[in-house]
Structures are given as C-alpha cells and as structure tokens.
Amino acid sequence: MRVFSGIRPTGELHIGNYLGAIKQWIELQEKNECIFCIVDLHAITTPYQPERLQENIMNLAIAYLAAGLNPERCILFVQSQVKEHTELAWLLGTMTPIGELQRMTQFKEKKKKHPEYVNAGLLNYPLLMASDILLYQTDLVPVGKDQKQHVELTREIARRFNKRFGKTFKEPEVLLPKIGEKIMSLQNPKKKMSKTDDPQGCIELFEKPEEIKNKIMAAVTDPGREIKYDPKKKPGISNLLTIYSLFSGKSIKELEGDFKGRGYEEFKKSLIKVLINYLEPFRQKRKRLLKRETFIKEILNQGAKKARLIAQSTLENVRKKMGLI
Ligand code: AMP
Ligand code: TRP
C-alpha cells in the first residue's frame, strides 16, 4: 500500500502529533511504501517568521528521524521542493466549489483565531493537501482526527475529477489511530492538545524530564479520586489514561485495575516515569542528529528526487486529461 502524510513545520512537535500521527507512521513503514512530507507551504498560511522557517523545517526533519522514521524505508521530503504540489493544487481548485472549502472546520477555526490574516491560502489549504495526497496515488493517509474532514474532501475531489476526465486518481482512505486520535490538552481536557493554543497543556516530544514532571503534576484532573476511563464525566483522567496506555502498551482496562484505590497522585507519578523513559531515547537521538545537518539535508534532497519522479508522472497524466498538453 502507498502511504502519505505530513506535518507543518511550525515549532516543536508534541505528544499529540506523535500519538495521533507519527507513531502509526513508524509501524506502517515496515510493510508499506511510505512517503512523509514536511509541509512548509501549509505552514505559511498562518502568521509565521520567514527567518525561522528553515530552522523549523530542519527541526521537524530531526524529529521525524529521532522518533524512528527510517530514510531507507520511506521517502522524506520538503513539500516546496516538489513544485508539482502547487501546480496540481491550482488545477484541482478550478473544479472545486468554493462552498466546499468554506465549510471546512479548520478554515472556520483559523479564521476565528486570526481574523487579521484570513488569506486565500488558508481557504485553499485543503486543495494543496488534496494535491499532496493525490499526486502519489495514495492508498492510506494516517492522521489525527482533526484532519479526517480534509481527507474526505480529497476523496470527493478525486471522485469528481475521475468522473469528469476519466480515471486518474486513486481514492485515498483515512487511517485514524484506534485510540489517541485526539489527545487533549492537559490544562483543558475538553480542547485538543495544541502547541500554539496552550503550551502548558502540551508535552513536547523532546521535553526535558523536569518539565514533563511539572506539566503532568499540574494536569487538570476531575472530582473524585478514582482512576477510571469516562471521557464525559472524567475527561482529565481519561486523557491521562489514554496517554499512559499508548506509551506503556498496557490496555486502559489493565491500568484501571493496576491503579484501583491508589489515587491521582500515585497515578501521575507513575505516568511521569513512563513518559520520561519512553521519550529519553528520542532526546538522545535528537542530540546526535543536531550535529549532522549535511546528512539530514542529503536525506531530504534524495527524498525530493524520488518524490518528484512519482509526482511528475501523475501530473503529466492530469495535464493530458485536462487538455493542457
Ligand atoms: P499539525 O501539527 O496540525 O500539522 O498536525 C500534524 C499531525 O498531528 C496531524 O495528523 C494531526 O491530525 C495530528 N495531531 C495534531 N494534534 C493532535 C492531537 N491533539 N491529538 C491527536 N493527533 C493530533
Ligand atoms: N493538514 C495537515 C495538518 O494540519 C498536514 C498535511 C498537509 C497533511 N498535507 C497533508 C496530512 C497530506 C496528510 C496528508 O496536520
């Protein structure tokens, strides 16, 4: 199966990105043909600092590698290095009703958050994402729940294109993690964990042990003292149980049993240990990679070369079908 996914280089990765997306990518790379992208053209649709963009791209590449993506098993590349993405996005835009873009939840949310920066790129964001996915004849798109709607729109766009111009694109399927599709903020368990919305509620992938400890100890819990999974009545503890389960490999049922009658503090202390142990090798690997900039750039250049070959072939076919060649 062909797998494609991407993350915006907008700052540090957090454990929501890891559990919602990257953890699945690592498993998928063993048996599939995987392509993972650093989507810099998506990152510039919200306010950003141009002088920091290259650094953020490098940091994300390092995070991909430190978390376990293997450049021998998958293609890693930067979106803006493969020009076919923007060209296909334009072509898809000529056959997508504006209404379909305007009703996207992410567009509505971003519009509310940055009323001073509602640019056309933000509206067209899903067209570029559809183009990312369709250029590679993708079968599976592993993402967190917030991106499901965009993948569904991509399917609709592919279907419409195929109907009008003849079979050209594969219709991709979204792949959500069974649990962890939406990791919530530690400070406000009714909102998703997000690095930009509230840093205190968010644990970064390379967070220092001391900070992990502080943030988990300060995490909002719920009335009562029972460790029980009940997202409606106990959103705080349920979120922590989800995190614990995914990082320890133990099921939520098992954890409820282990912590029966033991209270929140003991549970939090144990979770801190699990997190620190799991994330420590990532921190070590990142430290080593920080010194290997040339090596990383080479991986990205090689990745872009391989991606370009596939993208060019799809785009040539699209141009033919649309009467452009
Ligand atoms: P972004 O940082 O928005 O580019 O997101 C990158 C990937 O992480 C996407 O697949 C998102 O769906 C996923 N993701 C982001 N935040 C969360 C979260 N709180 N829980 C689960 N997945 C998430
Ligand atoms: N929009 C995605 C996000 O915000 C990132 C993304 C861009 C993506 N292109 C993609 C994800 C293609 C999967 C496939 O997280």
Side-chain angles (χ1 to χ4, degrees), residues 88 91-92 95 130-131 133-138 154-163 165-172 311 314-315 317-319 321-322:
L88 181 61
L91 300 176
L92 299 178
M95 40 162 303
S131 154
I133 297 170
L134 298 178
L135 271 177
Y136 299 94
Q137 304 294 351
T138 302
T154 302
R155 285 170 66 86
E156 177 59 34
I157 290 174
R159 226 173 301 156
R160 189 179 294 129
F161 191 103
N162 289 344
K163 199 161 158 216
F165 299 104
K167 177 95 176 85
T168 308
F169 295 124
K170 216 173 226 174
E171 269 183 53
T314 305
L315 190 63
N317 188 20
V318 171
R319 286 166 137 270
K321 295 263 173 61
M322 291 183 79

Side-chain angles (χ1 to χ4, degrees), residues 4-6 8 39 42 106 125 129 132-133 141 143 147 150:
F4 186 100
S5 195
R8 294 169 302 137
V39 290
H42 278 115
Q106 184 175 299
Y125 184 114
M129 180 160 162
D132 297 342
I133 297 170
V141 187
V143 282
Q147 295 303 314
H150 287 158

Side-chain angles (χ1 to χ4, degrees), residues 192-239:
K192 80 166 183 183
M193 182 176 284
S194 152
K195 54 201 163 197
T196 41
D197 293 353
D198 76 309
Q200 270 314 306
C202 164
I203 292 185
E204 289 170 6
L205 203 56
F206 305 112
E207 193 92 64
K208 292 204 181 81
E210 205 43 40
E211 281 297 306
I212 296 182
K213 197 168 151 203
N214 293 339
K215 287 184 180 176
I216 294 289
M217 287 320 282
V220 169
T221 46
D222 319 285
R225 64 186 304 275
E226 210 186 346
I227 312 293
K228 197 170 175 335
Y229 186 81
D230 184 346
K232 282 231 166 62
K233 288 200 196 118
K234 290 170 113 22
I237 283 297
S238 302
N239 189 40

Side-chain angles (χ1 to χ4, degrees), residues 287-314:
K287 242 194 237 160
R288 294 196 293 274
L289 287 163
L290 278 169
K291 298 186 207 129
R292 305 191 64 191
E293 195 170 326
T294 322
F295 165 72
I296 294 165
K297 286 207 166 128
E298 190 48 31
I299 291 176
L300 295 175
N301 285 338
Q302 290 303 326
K305 258 192 209 154
K306 289 185 206 153
R308 221 171 271 135
L309 283 180
I310 309 173
Q312 277 166 351
S313 134
T314 305

Side-chain angles (χ1 to χ4, degrees), residues 5-10 12-22 25 39 106 110 125 142-148 176-177 180-185 191-195:
S5 195
I7 296 182
R8 294 169 302 137
T10 49
E12 297 295 332
L13 278 186
H14 55 76
I15 57 170
N17 300 129
Y18 178 74
L19 298 177
I22 300 182
W25 303 1
V39 290
Q106 184 175 299
K110 294 253 155 91
Y125 184 114
V143 282
K145 191 177 175 195
D146 59 340
Q147 295 303 314
K148 183 168 177 234
L176 299 175
E181 60 177 18
K182 192 171 181 188
I183 299 296
M184 310 311 267
S185 159
K191 270 178 53 188
K192 80 166 183 183
M193 182 176 284
S194 152
K195 54 201 163 197

Side-chain angles (χ1 to χ4, degrees), residues 32-63:
N32 301 277
E33 199 182 329
C34 291
I35 307 175
F36 300 119
C37 189
I38 294 175
V39 290
D40 52 349
L41 296 171
H42 278 115
I44 61 175
T45 57
T46 42
Y48 79 106
Q49 294 172 286
E51 63 281 6
R52 298 212 46 194
L53 187 56
Q54 289 311 310
E55 179 189 329
N56 284 342
I57 290 173
M58 244 349 231
N59 276 334
L60 185 53
I62 289 176

